[in-house]
Amino acid sequence: LHAHPETALREVSTAAFVAEKLREMGLEVTEHIGVTGVVGTLRAGNGGKTVCLRADMDAITLQEKNDFSYKSDIDGVMHGCGHDGHTASLLGAAKLLSENRDFNGTIHFLFQPGEEPGKGARAMLEDGFLERFPMDEIYGLHNAPQLPGGTLGTCVGGFCSSEDNFKIVIRGQGAHASQPHMATDPLVIASQIILALQTIVSRNSDPLQTAVVSCAELFTDGGHNAIPG
């Protein structure tokens, strides 16, 4: 999985691999939910309760610079957020539970695409996931390499981020880099905005509440010797 990463909603080979493994375990398998989503279903006893266990499958657009036998073989794409580990963990849980069906009810193993851009869950919901696979509870986790192996970190209340996205468009006036007085430099304006946004956390949010503001990308139409517009 780590060697063959695929980005959001393009997890075709990953989804096929997951579906094949689930079938080998004897699970009922449903594919192509929300484009590339996969659900494996395992039943035991006659219980009416249903639990769902969830993992994500997509990688991110990042060049891997590690040097080991299973490093990414896709240029510019890698599992830098650990979703390969999530997928492997959920497959492991499915294998253990399929071999030791010491529960009474139904378990859905949900392999979700497109977590990174926030589109995969919506695609699955719009494809009727909750109606097709009703459940009483759903559980997910995120790897935390900073914790010792074999431990689980949790707390009461929220403990993971919920992402919102924003885009700010600055329209200035371009000029040659040697003539900044002829320009209205949008990069200087952007720099001031980026710094000012940090005061949302330091001066506007409650210190007892958790908040993060990150500016992750900056695009211009300038060049090495031209101030952008």
Side-chain angles (χ1 to χ4, degrees):
L1 290 170
H2 190 88
H4 308 292
E6 295 174 300
T7 54
L9 300 174
R10 296 179 179 176
E11 311 92 335
V12 176
S13 296
T14 304
F17 175 86
V18 165
E20 177 185 0
K21 294 300 180 184
L22 293 173
R23 288 193 178 98
E24 289 176 1
M25 300 172 199
L27 274 65
E28 302 171 25
V29 178
T30 307
E31 300 179 74
H32 309 298
I33 308 172
V35 187
T36 48
V38 179
V39 176
T41 300
L42 180 64
R43 310 180 198 277
N46 56 6
K49 292 289 186 179
T50 299
V51 168
C52 182
L53 304 180
R54 172 262 185 203
D56 35 23
M57 301 186 293
D58 56 323
I60 57 178
T61 53
L62 188 69
Q63 185 66 44
E64 180 155 21
K65 295 186 177 181
N66 295 311
D67 186 18
F68 38 58
S69 60
Y70 56 91
K71 68 178 292 185
S72 171
D73 61 5
I74 307 297
D75 190 48
V77 181
M78 75 168 290
H79 272 294
C81 199
H83 295 182
D84 53 334
H86 296 173
T87 299
S89 296
L90 190 54
L91 285 172
K95 182 173 177 59
L96 288 171
L97 288 163
S98 66
E99 294 174 348
N100 304 280
R101 305 191 184 200
D102 54 350
F103 64 93
N104 188 22
T106 300
I107 303 176
H108 296 309
F109 299 91
L110 161 60
F111 295 84
Q112 178 199 312
E115 186 275 340
E116 291 294 346
K119 297 179 180 180
R122 182 179 297 277
M124 294 193 78
L125 291 171
E126 291 176 348
D127 212 5
F129 168 69
L130 289 177
E131 292 75 23
R132 296 163 66 181
F133 302 92
M135 65 195 70
D136 297 287
E137 299 175 2
I138 182 169
Y139 295 92
L141 57 77
H142 201 292
N143 62 68
Q146 70 272 22
L147 296 180
T151 62
L152 193 68
T154 188
C155 65
V156 176
F159 61 94
C160 284
S161 301
S162 177
E163 177 186 293
D164 286 311
N165 295 302
F166 63 88
K167 178 189 289 187
I168 298 172
V169 179
I170 301 167
R171 293 185 174 87
Q173 175 63 51
H176 195 277
S178 65
Q179 297 177 310
H181 61 290
M182 302 294 290
T184 303
D185 192 338
L187 284 178
V188 174
I189 297 169
S191 301
Q192 293 176 331
I193 290 174
I194 291 169
L195 290 173
L197 286 172
Q198 306 313 306
T199 65
I200 293 174
V201 174
S202 64
R203 283 294 175 268
N204 290 278
S205 63
D206 186 335
L208 299 180
Q209 299 296 318
T210 301
V212 175
V213 177
S214 294
C215 299
E217 295 177 297
L218 187 62
F219 298 99
T220 81
D221 60 350
H224 72 279
N225 66 343
I227 296 170

